[in-house]
Amino acid sequence: MDRLETRELAYFVAVAEELHFARAAERLGIAAPPLSRAIARLERRIGVRLFDRTSRRVSLTEAGKVFFAESRAALAAVDTAVRRAQRAARPARLVVAVRSGTGAGLLSDLLEAYAHRPAAAPVELLFTTDQTQALREGTADVALLCASSDATGLTTTELAVESPVALLPVSHPLATRAAVPIEELRRIDVYRATCPPVSLDEIVDRVALGQLVVVVGESAASRIGDAVVAVPVVGQAGTTLVLGRAAGAPTPDLKAFERTAKDVAARRLATAGTA
């Protein structure tokens, strides 16, 4: 069998997502009959029925469900290859994906130290709530992550551990405590065990308005303003910060950035130990 074309996969994915040939055809900018014929040809080519069709509904077969997941992954890989090739043709630079407020002090020291390296590539920050996706899509070269992030398929380097702090409204009864047990936080109605996928500014706003209580790494405390306080948390492990990148051999610029990150993290740890 000749290798399938990306156009065939795109047609299939559109129908699989819509489960309606007319809607999928409209989305693709073609007529429904040619799309139906293209799917039938695809099924004949691979020797597998992908859809169950009746006059009332279209559904994926079990084989179709598997092919759907693999087709989306294949199309995403093609898109990633294009983006990485386009970026490789541009002047050298490193794109660092980071979530607002994550490891702010560490990141600041890292960027300053890297900028002083001989022939350091320019660094561009990509602020996002999904750093791992940016790495997988090829829109970022490296990311500062929490170790709890899904790093499947990525290479990570542990940098530091941040102590946990609870973000509380300044008027909250626990806000004046020197520290608060995690068990007490869990009894608060608006407590959330994980941060919502929004920016740190929005998290702080929600906390200030009494809509959220959440535990974050201590570096976020420098960004919370006057309406929110950060109280150390007892009974919960700290947040491990890691540097993540796509698997494979790193470029010289990326290798230098990783080496700088480890050096900076080690110096910060030594300084904290002597404080």
Side-chain angles (χ1 to χ4, degrees), residues 200-265:
L200 179 61
D201 288 341
E202 183 172 339
I203 288 173
V204 170
D205 284 344
R206 291 187 186 185
V207 173
L209 293 170
Q211 298 176 352
L212 176 69
V213 169
V214 70
V215 176
V216 298
E218 60 185 329
S219 64
S222 62
R223 301 272 306 279
I224 59 176
D226 298 329
V228 173
V229 295
V231 180
V233 177
V234 178
Q236 178 156 312
T239 301
T240 301
L241 299 177
V242 302
L243 204 64
R245 61 172 172 83
T251 64
D253 289 330
L254 188 48
K255 188 179 295 185
F257 190 83
E258 288 181 332
R259 191 160 51 246
T260 304
K262 288 189 282 189
D263 291 344
V264 167

Side-chain angles (χ1 to χ4, degrees), residues 108-162:
S108 177
D109 290 350
L110 169 55
L111 295 178
E112 182 178 359
Y114 180 73
H116 285 88
R117 293 186 69 96
V123 173
E124 177 182 324
L125 294 181
L126 172 64
F127 287 97
T128 174
T129 58
D130 196 342
Q131 303 98 300
T132 58
Q133 185 66 17
L135 293 176
R136 295 188 178 103
E137 290 179 346
T139 52
D141 300 297
V142 63
L144 187 61
L145 309 165
C146 295
S148 58
S149 303
D150 178 13
T152 305
L154 303 177
T155 297
T156 59
T157 302
E158 184 173 324
L159 297 180
V161 178
E162 288 194 334

Side-chain angles (χ1 to χ4, degrees), residues 41-98:
R41 282 195 301 271
L42 174 62
E43 290 176 318
R44 288 195 299 272
R45 285 190 66 187
I46 66 177
V48 170
R49 185 164 51 86
L50 301 172
F51 293 101
D52 285 323
R53 306 171 180 82
T54 69
S55 59
R56 294 186 176 182
R57 66 192 295 267
V58 176
S59 60
L60 285 164
T61 63
E62 288 304 312
K65 293 175 183 177
V66 172
F67 194 62
F68 180 35
E70 297 295 338
S71 295
R72 288 208 295 188
L75 291 173
V78 170
D79 292 341
T80 296
V82 170
R83 283 191 291 267
R84 287 179 176 165
Q86 290 171 336
R87 291 183 55 217
R90 299 175 188 145
R93 62 173 180 160
L94 281 177
V95 179
V96 181
V98 61

